[in-house]
């Protein structure tokens, strides 16, 4: 039997979800909570297999509650069931240890299957959430292919030459730019990389694999 706790600040929704889940094949609702702090306490007291949790609750939000539950009882599967599906909340919940994420518009049968899956140790996400996750990780993969994607192509050229030890006049000569243009590019690089000076920018660049100390032919000041 998979023992379930429901955490949601809307009593009508809690009752409806309890009616949906309780008595379903292999499911038993053993407790409920109206806010995140109460959810943590109920889970600690009852040690269920699954907690179905909203994210926006009073006293303590669902993300923090999920984090505390996972730290105390990592075997408890957290299934987020909420109205909110923006990327920030989705990945905050995942980072906190949630094994599943559904929106409240999900069909009843899918919610039941999700609770059963989480209870069996699986991870499950609605189709829309899964698509957003794929898009998010695809974007991360693409950004990793380009070092410092916040920089323009020309700013990356300047940064690489800085990391190779060239000063501004040498960079201007190498890239056929004016001295003023190079100074402007360097200033933009400092701002976008959030570094205080040239030395910090060079460290960031070399850590990312740009430039090479062996290429240094000009003293950096």
């Amino acid at each position: 039997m998979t023992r379930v706790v429901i955490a949601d600040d809307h009593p009508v929704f809690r009752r409806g979800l309890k009616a949906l889940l309780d008595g379903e094949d292999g499911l038993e609702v053993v407790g409920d909570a109206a806010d995140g702090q109460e959810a943590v306490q109920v889970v600690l007291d009852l040690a269920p297999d699954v907690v179905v949790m909203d994210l926006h609750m009073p006293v303590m939000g669902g993300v923090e509650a999920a984090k505390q539950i996972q730290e105390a009882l990592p075997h408890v599967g957290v299934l987020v069931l909420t109205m909110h599906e923006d990327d920030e909340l989705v990945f905050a919940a995942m980072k906190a240890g949630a094994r599943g994420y559904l929106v409240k518009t999900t069909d009843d049968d899918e919610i039941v299957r999700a609770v059963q899956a989480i209870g069996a140790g699986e991870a499950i996400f609605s189709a829309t959430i899964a698509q957003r996750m794929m898009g998010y990780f695809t974007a991360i993969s693409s950004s990793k292919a380009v070092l410092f994607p916040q920089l323009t192509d020309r700013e990356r050229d300047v940064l690489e030459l800085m990391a190779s030890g060239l000063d501004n006049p040498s960079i201007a000569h190498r890239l056929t730019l004016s001295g003023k243009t190079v100074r402007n590019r360097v200033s933009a690089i400092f701002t976008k990389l959030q570094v205080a000076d040239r030395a910090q920018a060079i460290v960031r660049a070399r850590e990312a694999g740009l430039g090479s100390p062996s290429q240094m032919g000009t003293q950096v000041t």
Side-chain angles (χ1 to χ4, degrees):
M1 184 67 69
T2 298
R3 302 168 68 251
V4 183
V5 164
I6 298 169
D8 195 288
D9 61 333
H10 295 286
V12 173
F13 185 81
R14 288 201 309 275
R15 288 195 295 269
L17 190 57
K18 183 178 188 300
L20 173 67
L21 299 178
D22 213 10
E24 279 289 337
D25 186 27
L27 300 181
E28 178 188 8
V29 177
V30 296
D32 64 272
D35 61 64
Q37 183 172 301
E38 184 182 7
V40 173
Q41 190 58 56
V42 170
V43 169
L44 291 178
D45 290 342
L46 300 178
D49 303 296
V50 178
V51 54
V52 183
M53 182 180 299
D54 193 6
L55 290 182
H56 286 290
M57 294 185 291
V59 185
M60 179 189 295
V63 171
E64 179 60 28
K67 180 180 177 182
Q68 292 191 19
I69 288 169
Q70 287 297 289
E71 289 175 348
L73 297 172
H75 72 277
V76 176
V78 176
L79 172 63
V80 171
L81 183 59
T82 184
M83 289 299 297
H84 307 276
E85 53 179 321
D86 57 278
D87 291 347
E88 183 177 353
L89 281 175
V90 171
F91 293 105
M94 289 178 61
K95 186 176 180 180
R99 297 184 198 168
Y101 197 115
L102 301 178
V103 292
K104 288 183 177 179
T105 53
T106 302
D107 292 342
D108 288 354
D109 289 345
E110 291 184 47
I111 293 174
V112 172
R113 285 196 296 270
V115 174
Q116 292 170 333
I118 297 296
E122 301 174 25
I124 189 164
F125 299 87
S126 67
T128 56
I129 295 300
Q131 289 174 356
R132 297 169 80 94
M133 290 167 59
M134 289 177 63
Y136 177 84
F137 289 116
T138 298
I140 288 179
S141 178
S142 298
S143 68
K144 285 183 177 178
V146 178
L147 295 175
F148 305 114
Q150 68 270 45
L151 302 182
T152 66
D153 290 342
R154 184 55 88 187
E155 287 166 355
R156 274 192 294 274
D157 291 340
V158 171
L159 180 61
E160 182 160 18
L161 292 176
M162 287 169 55
S164 296
L166 274 64
D167 59 12
N168 285 1
S170 300
I171 293 172
H173 177 74
R174 181 74 65 89
L175 298 178
T176 319
L177 298 173
S178 70
K180 180 179 179 181
T181 298
V182 171
R183 288 194 298 272
N184 289 340
R185 302 287 190 196
V186 170
S187 178
I189 289 168
F190 292 171
T191 300
K192 292 180 180 181
L193 297 188
Q194 299 181 340
V195 296
D197 54 32
R198 194 181 193 90
Q200 290 184 11
I202 290 174
V203 169
R204 287 282 305 277
R206 289 182 180 166
E207 287 177 345
L210 291 179
S212 171
S214 63
Q215 298 174 12
M216 292 182 65
T218 307
Q219 184 177 2
V220 176
T221 57

